[in-house]
Amino acid sequence: MDEMLELARGFYKDEYADSVLYAQLARIEKDEDIRKEFLRLSNIESKHAKFWHDFIKRHGGEVPKPSVKRLMIFSVKLLRRLLGPGSVASLLEMGENSAIQKYFKYLTTYAEGFSEDELREIKDVILDELEHEKFFYESKERFHVENTRDLVLGMNDGLVEILGAVTGLSAVYPNNPQLVGISGLIVGVAGALSMAIGTFVSVRSQRQIKESIRDRMEVLFRVSPERAAEELVEKLVEGGMPEEVAREVAKELADNSDAIMQLLLPEAEENEIRAALYTGLSYLVGVAFPVTPYFLASSSLTALPFSILLAGSALAIVATLISLLSGISIRKKVAEMVATGLGAAFLSYLFGRLMEVLFNVSAL
């Protein structure tokens, strides 16, 4: 009972904080339809908070004082202004999915302790959260949110790779920080171009393959609609649909080639130029953090701790934003990203020291 009430207290505080968050997002949202949706979501979360408030009291528990997650609200607003509504929709969708999983686990674990009305209301809460997740999923499709992935990966790669490079070079050229900084910039620009070109080629190739398959399906549909329908049946059965139902669906769609191809090729297209720009530019932003101190310090070993501090702080901020918006433990996510980034830098420094010892490069 104690654990059940403790979890309910957490749900109450989360729902209250989410209602405030959506209300704040509505205040700064310029798209009228999305603004109205945020207000609607805020009202629903308020209703959920009241349910958990009453639930706790009915079971003899003490209702905690709700608090506003000011850091989370600030983070979401900042992300909205910097990256647009798509990135916020993507991360809020992750948060809703996390809530759904927690509620479902709670429902299945403590079902015997609930009344019929409480079971029904908790199921209604889960259905509301599923509807919220659907809204954010549809919203992120409108705003090219797939490029948020390119931005995060590009910036992370720029931070980690160039931090490793300048750390290793610091061991080789301890008295020439400008050389280390310039070398880091050269490697960074080359890396940004490489990442951008790689993303361009990858996304373009995927789109071309998809177009080729679509052309094949169009030909197949015109030459042999029966065979096209059979491929649809195979696809639906692979997805877990019973064969009888799959054949019924294929029969209903027999005259609709667009619907069949949409089912066979459901993924949304991504613009290769936009993906390349996001990846390359975010990589350069990541490069700036570890490289900047080398143009300001008198020695590489003086610049090194500042470089590590800036890069580590940037990694921690990114990890914190992701954690706040997706329901992941902040401590674990920050530790994961910072440890991997600084661990790579430490190994690079050791390798740089090894090269300096073996070849006496700094004396050249």
Side-chain angles (χ1 to χ4, degrees):
M1 176 66 76
D2 290 341
E3 185 179 0
M4 183 182 79
L5 286 175
E6 189 60 33
L7 289 170
R9 291 187 187 99
F11 295 152
Y12 168 62
K13 291 192 289 186
D14 288 344
E15 295 288 4
Y16 180 89
D18 287 346
S19 70
V20 175
L21 170 63
Y22 292 139
Q24 291 289 324
L25 286 174
R27 291 179 59 184
I28 64 170
E29 184 55 57
K30 296 180 180 179
D31 187 304
E32 186 62 22
D33 291 335
I34 295 180
R35 190 185 72 81
K36 290 180 180 178
E37 189 63 27
F38 275 139
L39 287 174
R40 188 179 72 84
L41 294 179
S42 177
N43 291 331
I44 292 175
E45 299 291 29
S46 294
K47 183 185 75 173
H48 293 173
K50 185 178 185 307
F51 163 73
W52 289 113
H53 176 280
D54 296 343
F55 177 89
I56 295 167
K57 293 190 72 173
R58 278 197 305 271
H59 287 267
E62 183 180 348
V63 179
K65 182 179 180 180
S67 59
V68 178
K69 298 178 181 178
R70 300 188 185 280
L71 178 59
M72 181 176 183
I73 293 174
F74 172 78
S75 301
V76 175
K77 286 183 175 180
L78 179 63
L79 203 64
R80 168 65 180 84
R81 295 186 187 282
L82 293 177
L83 304 181
S87 58
V88 171
S90 178
L91 293 171
L92 288 176
E93 181 200 3
M94 287 193 289
E96 293 296 341
N97 183 61
S98 174
I100 291 166
Q101 296 301 321
K102 287 189 289 187
Y103 283 144
F104 180 71
K105 184 178 179 180
Y106 188 78
L107 177 65
T108 54
T109 303
Y110 301 105
E112 294 181 359
F114 303 145
S115 67
E116 289 188 11
D117 286 341
E118 287 173 341
L119 280 172
R120 177 179 51 78
E121 289 188 73
I122 293 174
K123 289 178 181 178
D124 287 342
V125 169
I126 293 174
L127 290 174
D128 285 339
E129 298 295 342
L130 286 167
E131 190 271 334
H132 294 181
E133 184 188 30
K134 180 182 177 183
F135 163 71
F136 290 125
Y137 178 78
E138 292 173 348
S139 296
K140 79 177 185 179
E141 285 191 327
R142 292 176 54 191
F143 297 115
H144 308 296
V145 77
E146 67 274 3
N147 296 127
T148 302
R149 177 202 60 209
D150 301 319
L151 189 149
V152 172
L153 291 178
M155 185 171 179
N156 183 72
D157 286 348
L159 279 165
V160 175
E161 291 177 16
I162 303 306
L163 176 62
V166 296
T167 302
L169 289 169
S170 295
V172 179
Y173 302 109
N175 299 315
N176 199 337
Q178 285 76 27
L179 177 60
V180 174
I182 291 170
S183 299
L185 276 181
I186 293 172
V187 173
V189 170
L193 291 172
S194 175
M195 289 283 290
I197 292 170
T199 301
F200 178 87
V201 172
S202 175
V203 174
R204 186 177 180 84
S205 297
Q206 290 176 4
R207 184 169 59 80
Q208 289 174 333
I209 290 171
K210 182 177 176 180
E211 289 174 352
S212 176
I213 295 174
R214 183 177 292 277
D215 291 342
R216 170 186 172 276
M217 287 302 302
E218 286 182 353
V219 172
L220 181 60
F221 193 90
R222 293 183 183 281
V223 173
S224 177
E226 299 81 8
R227 178 58 190 151
E230 192 62 33
E231 289 204 12
L232 176 59
V233 170
E234 292 174 5
K235 183 78 171 179
L236 294 174
V237 170
E238 286 177 8
M241 184 178 290
E243 185 174 347
E244 312 82 62
V245 178
R247 292 195 177 280
E248 192 64 31
V249 171
K251 182 180 178 181
E252 292 293 328
L253 297 177
D255 298 325
N256 192 333
S257 60
D258 291 337
I260 289 179
M261 283 188 287
Q262 185 63 33
L263 286 170
L264 291 173
L265 305 168
E267 295 182 5
E269 293 184 359
E270 185 177 357
N271 184 289
E272 59 266 30
I273 296 176
R274 185 170 56 243
L277 286 173
Y278 268 79
T279 303
L281 292 176
S282 62
Y283 188 100
L284 288 176
V285 171
V287 167
F289 289 95
V291 164
T292 300
Y294 289 90
F295 293 97
L296 304 175
S298 58
S299 75
S300 298
L301 296 182
T302 301
L304 179 58
F306 291 100
S307 177
I308 292 174
L309 180 63
L310 283 176
S313 299
L315 287 169
I317 290 170
V318 172
T320 300
L321 287 173
I322 294 172
S323 301
L324 285 170
L325 300 174
S326 60
I328 303 171
S329 167
I330 294 178
R331 189 173 300 176
K332 289 182 179 179
K333 193 63 181 177
V334 170
E336 172 192 322
M337 293 186 68
V338 174
T340 53
L342 300 189
F346 177 70
L347 293 176
S348 298
Y349 181 80
L350 293 180
F351 184 73
R353 288 290 299 161
L354 177 62
M355 293 298 100
E356 197 277 331
V357 170
L358 289 177
F359 300 104
N360 198 22
V361 181
S362 60
L364 297 179

